[in-house]
């Protein structure tokens, strides 16, 4: 049941992300101007994407309550493959041999990773020390990538900001797994829980960085870096914080599991090098005669 919900969440994330990119590209402010984060709130297409993303998060939370962090994040990472054809239709993204190869490797690698590794959950109540370390390290890496990304333009900026957003989303998913176990404590119980505030902070930072990545106009690098880093950080957090294991059958399948993850990352890396829509086709020569 958890795996099925994760796939539904991936579909919602894919369509929501493409609609949000379509909305960000219609704002007047530049990607470096934070005012565009206000302007997108007046774009109906962006709001529709936000509704789908929010619904995806709810479905993802339901999946995390039923399956391990690694399994859910592996399957929701497939939103990248689903978003490519949607991006071609809605935001004129280029889909060539490189994009098709990357999408295929991502799909095959992720499915192989989940089937070979069969990740299993550990504890549902990690210690405070593990959470402190996870939050501080994640925060430091996000700030570093944000500082580096501001110096770039185009696909490089999309890639760097997307990676920073992926770290935020990875932490958000990890905290969500704890958050859903605390819903029965009532409103006062939630307000007194640290998980609510970390969840909000990680979600807001991931949101702002992802929108900045989408604002560059290059969908594949933005989603590739975001999804790959989200998956990678989720694997690390699942192991380090929740004590999850990559294989329930022992170490004999570890190599196969790692190979599947590697293939998925190679596919995402290929997608990260995708050309921007205005770079996909050469500009036609000016037909007017020279004077």
């Amino acid at each position: 049941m958890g795996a099925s919900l994760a796939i539904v969440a991936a579909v919602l994330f894919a369509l929501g992300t493409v609609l949000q990119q379509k909305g960000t590209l219609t704002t007047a402010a530049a990607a470096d101007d934070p005012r565009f984060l206000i302007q997108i709130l007046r774009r109906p297409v962006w709001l529709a994407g936000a509704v789908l993303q929010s619904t995806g998060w709810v479905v993802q939370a339901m999946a995390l309550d039923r399956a391990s962090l690694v399994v859910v994040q592996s399957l929701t990472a497939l939103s990248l493959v689903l978003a490519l054809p949607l991006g071609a239709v809605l935001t004129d993204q280029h889909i060539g041999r490189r994009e098709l190869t990357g999408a295929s490797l991502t799909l095959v690698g992720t499915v192989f990773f989940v089937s070979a590794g069969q990740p299993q959950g550990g504890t549902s109540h990690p210690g405070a020390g593990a959470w402190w370390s996870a939050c501080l390290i994640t925060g430091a890496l996000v700030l570093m990538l944000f500082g580096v990304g501001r110096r770039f333009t185009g696909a490089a900026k999309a890639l760097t900001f997307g990676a920073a957003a992926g770290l935020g989303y990875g932490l958000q998913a990890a905290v969500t797994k704890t958050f859903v176990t605390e819903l029965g404590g009532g409103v006062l119980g939630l307000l007194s829980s640290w998980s609510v505030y970390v969840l909000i902070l990680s979600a807001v930072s991931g949101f702002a960085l992802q929108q900045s990545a989408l604002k560059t106009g290059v969908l594949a690098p933005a989603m590739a870096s975001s999804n790959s880093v989200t998956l990678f950080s989720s694997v690390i957090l699942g192991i380090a914080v929740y004590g999850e294991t990559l294989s329930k059958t022992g170490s004999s399948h570890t190599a196969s599991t790692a190979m599947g993850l590697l293939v998925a990352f190679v596919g995402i890396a290929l997608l990260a090098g995708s050309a921007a829509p205005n770079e996909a086709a050469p500009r036609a020569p000016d037909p007017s005669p020279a004077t």
Side-chain angles (χ1 to χ4, degrees):
M1 185 64 177
S4 300
L5 289 171
I7 293 174
V8 173
V11 175
L12 294 170
F13 286 147
L15 182 55
T17 299
V18 175
L19 291 178
Q20 284 188 322
Q21 183 185 46
K22 190 174 181 65
T24 62
L25 295 177
T26 63
T27 58
D32 290 331
D33 188 344
R35 288 181 297 178
F36 94 87
L37 293 172
I38 303 299
Q39 294 173 356
I40 57 177
L41 299 177
R42 299 193 292 270
R43 301 295 190 273
V45 66
W46 186 91
L47 293 174
V51 171
L52 289 172
Q53 289 275 49
S54 300
T55 306
W57 178 80
V58 173
V59 176
Q60 181 190 38
M62 294 168 61
L64 286 168
D65 193 38
R66 293 165 172 81
S68 75
L69 176 64
V70 176
V71 166
V72 172
Q73 293 304 95
S74 298
L75 294 174
T76 54
L78 297 178
S79 62
L80 169 62
V81 178
L82 301 172
L84 284 180
L86 295 172
V89 173
L90 297 175
T91 59
D92 297 322
Q93 300 295 315
H94 173 63
I95 298 182
R97 182 179 300 176
R98 183 189 189 103
E99 289 77 17
L100 291 175
T101 302
S104 300
L105 289 175
T106 302
L107 177 61
V108 171
T110 301
V111 171
F112 188 75
F113 168 72
V114 174
S115 60
Q118 301 180 26
Q120 299 296 301
T123 179
S124 58
H125 299 286
W131 275 122
W132 272 106
S133 298
C135 292
L136 290 176
I137 293 174
T138 300
L141 291 174
V142 167
L143 290 175
M144 181 188 71
L145 287 172
F146 174 72
V148 172
R150 294 183 63 184
R151 304 176 183 177
F152 296 146
T153 59
K157 172 172 277 190
L159 188 70
T160 312
F161 278 0
L167 287 171
Y169 287 145
L171 181 61
Q172 176 189 347
V175 176
T176 298
K177 188 169 180 63
T178 292
F179 174 76
V180 294
T181 65
E182 300 173 343
L183 291 177
V187 176
L188 293 179
L190 288 176
L191 292 177
S192 63
S193 173
W194 64 270
S195 63
V196 175
Y197 304 102
V198 175
L199 184 63
I200 293 173
L201 182 60
S202 59
V204 169
S205 60
F207 159 79
L209 289 163
Q210 182 74 349
Q211 298 309 307
S212 297
L214 294 174
K215 179 67 172 172
T216 64
V218 197
L219 178 65
M223 283 200 70
S225 59
S226 175
N227 285 23
S228 61
V229 173
T230 299
L231 175 56
F232 181 74
S233 62
S234 296
V235 170
I236 297 300
L237 291 172
I239 294 172
V241 176
Y242 286 100
E244 295 182 355
T245 58
L246 290 182
S247 178
K248 70 179 182 180
T249 56
S251 59
S252 60
H253 290 274
T254 300
S256 298
T257 302
M259 182 59 68
L261 193 61
L262 177 61
V263 170
F265 283 159
V266 169
I268 292 172
L270 285 174
L271 291 169
S274 178
N278 59 355
E279 298 172 353
R283 184 177 178 179
D286 189 348
S288 60
T291 56

